[in-house]
Amino acid sequence: MIADVYIELKEGVVDPEGEATKKALRLLGFRKVKNVSTRKVFRIEIDAKSKEEAEKEIKEMCEKLLANPVIQNYRIVWIE
Amino acid sequence: MELEEIRVAVLRIEGTNCEDETVKAFRSLGVYAEAVHLKQFYSDMIRDEEQRSLFDYHCIVFPGGFSAGDYVRAGAIFSARVKSVLKRDLEEFIREGYPILGICNGFQVLAELGALPGFDEDKPLADKPEMALGINESNRFECRPTFLKHENGGKCVFTRKIGKGKMVMFPVAHAEGRVIFPRGKEEDYLERLKENDQVVFRYVDERGNYAGYPWNPNGSIYNIAGICNVKGNVFGLMPHPERVFWRYQHPNWLENPESPGDGRAVFESVIEYLREF
């Protein structure tokens, strides 16, 4: 099974990388750009008996390493 | 404890890079210090004479650098590895009152470990991180001198030789140093930190006033540069005291060439604490 794990900043947490990218895009002439935010994606291939089991394990990975709950949320998207 | 008995470990893994000057700072003051690779604590591939236990030491330092390439988040991988092999030992070490210092990337490791802000004395490592060191508000790597005001009333064992209200210059060099507390709990966290005397250093301008960027290089809440846990024996800060151990490391050193560098007092303070331990 393969899952994409999206690590995103929580609402209200400033995203300096996104802000700087927006500024640069505007400078390049993309004036319609309203907002840019960044996220990190980990593609995880995992052996598991069921999707539920895999999802439980991936949640644990997020809580133990991939996300800092103070500033980040995580979201799992199944690829296959 | 006699000066010669004191043993300090500066932990390293791939990507740490401030261990040498940190070891040198301690050795210059007459104690034994060495850089120790994390795997010396647990791997069975290590020669006998190089195997170590946390309790071989009286002080542990997480040095500056880019441990594990800052992948995932700065300090996250170093922290995960420490948790997987040393969690119980580290908690006992802290409970017994032994001092732990985290400088720059080391502060990020302590935050990820849940060791800071460290409100619970009985549970020195929280299950989940309770703070984050986010990307600098400027989105830049900030590398330059900063002024700090020492605000601790005597709890932090690493700054007891620095008077309350005194200003020092320690340089910063980081991209992720912005202190963030959980949303909606900021005021509550700040109140607890102040009440417990856990605020240690805050960024100020050249006159000693709290000021925004560039004086506060990363946009930290309440201008926080360094905090300690509720017991006072775990201390993390973004600026580098080991980089101003000698006066000649200060840009204006000629004004007072014979005096010690501002950072030396951090190392002297913890050694004095251990001598009375």
Side-chain angles (χ1 to χ4, degrees), chain B residues 6-254:
Chain B
I6 297 173
R7 291 172 60 88
V8 180
V10 180
L11 301 191
R12 65 185 182 90
I13 65 167
E14 64 279 7
T16 53
N17 64 16
C18 295
E19 54 267 38
D20 288 349
E21 50 271 58
T22 310
V23 164
K24 183 167 177 179
F26 277 103
R27 285 191 185 169
S28 307
L29 296 172
V31 302
Y32 181 78
E34 63 179 356
V36 186
H37 198 286
L38 190 62
K39 65 188 174 192
Q40 287 175 256
F41 291 106
Y42 65 87
S43 171
D44 52 7
M45 308 279 285
I46 299 291
R47 272 174 293 181
D48 285 354
E49 65 269 25
E50 288 181 351
Q51 284 177 9
R52 298 287 187 273
S53 145
L54 214 53
F55 296 96
D56 292 339
Y57 303 97
H58 311 106
C59 175
I60 301 290
V61 184
F62 291 94
F66 298 85
S67 58
D70 273 358
Y71 297 152
V72 183
R73 279 181 313 286
I77 289 182
F78 198 166
S79 155
R81 278 169 60 183
V82 168
K83 258 196 227 165
S84 71
V85 291
L86 286 180
K87 186 167 191 264
R88 216 172 280 165
D89 281 0
L90 202 62
E91 286 190 302
E92 197 182 328
F93 196 86
I94 297 171
R95 261 191 231 109
E96 286 183 13
Y98 289 111
I100 297 187
L101 172 63
I103 302 168
C104 194
N105 192 219
F107 185 14
Q108 293 160 339
V109 175
L110 292 176
E112 287 288 336
L113 274 172
L116 289 173
F119 289 130
D120 188 349
E121 202 167 327
D122 300 322
K123 201 170 185 317
L125 301 184
D127 289 330
K128 288 178 186 175
E130 293 179 328
M131 66 177 288
L133 287 152
I135 297 173
N136 297 345
E137 225 167 28
S138 63
N139 198 39
R140 292 181 189 183
F141 189 89
E142 300 286 347
C143 181
R144 54 191 160 79
T146 54
F147 293 112
L148 315 174
K149 191 185 252 181
H150 179 237
E151 307 227 332
N152 201 253
K155 180 170 269 183
C156 177
V157 306
F158 287 92
T159 58
R160 286 185 179 164
K161 297 192 80 154
I162 304 173
K164 191 175 177 184
K166 192 177 183 252
M167 233 171 96
V168 295
M169 190 289 278
F170 295 173
V172 291
H174 62 254
E176 295 173 53
R178 175 163 182 248
V179 173
I180 304 175
F181 295 133
R183 195 159 181 235
K185 288 193 190 158
E186 291 95 341
E187 287 306 314
D188 170 45
Y189 270 48
L190 285 175
E191 277 315 307
R192 280 157 86 183
L193 288 173
K194 285 186 257 183
E195 205 171 297
N196 299 337
D197 192 23
Q198 291 180 248
V199 178
V200 183
F201 285 119
R202 291 174 68 192
Y203 300 108
V204 289
D205 67 16
E206 56 191 339
R207 294 207 184 90
N209 303 315
Y210 308 114
Y213 189 80
W215 305 101
N216 175 349
N218 46 41
S220 271
I221 186 168
Y222 196 58
N223 281 37
I224 289 175
I227 55 172
C228 66
N229 66 345
V230 69
K231 210 173 155 74
N233 63 329
V234 178
F235 173 43
L237 76 170
M238 289 313 297
H240 288 266
E242 82 283 13
R243 293 191 186 174
V244 277
F245 189 82
W246 311 96
R247 179 54 53 178
Y248 57 72
Q249 293 171 304
H250 287 261
N252 58 346
W253 69 286
L254 276 172

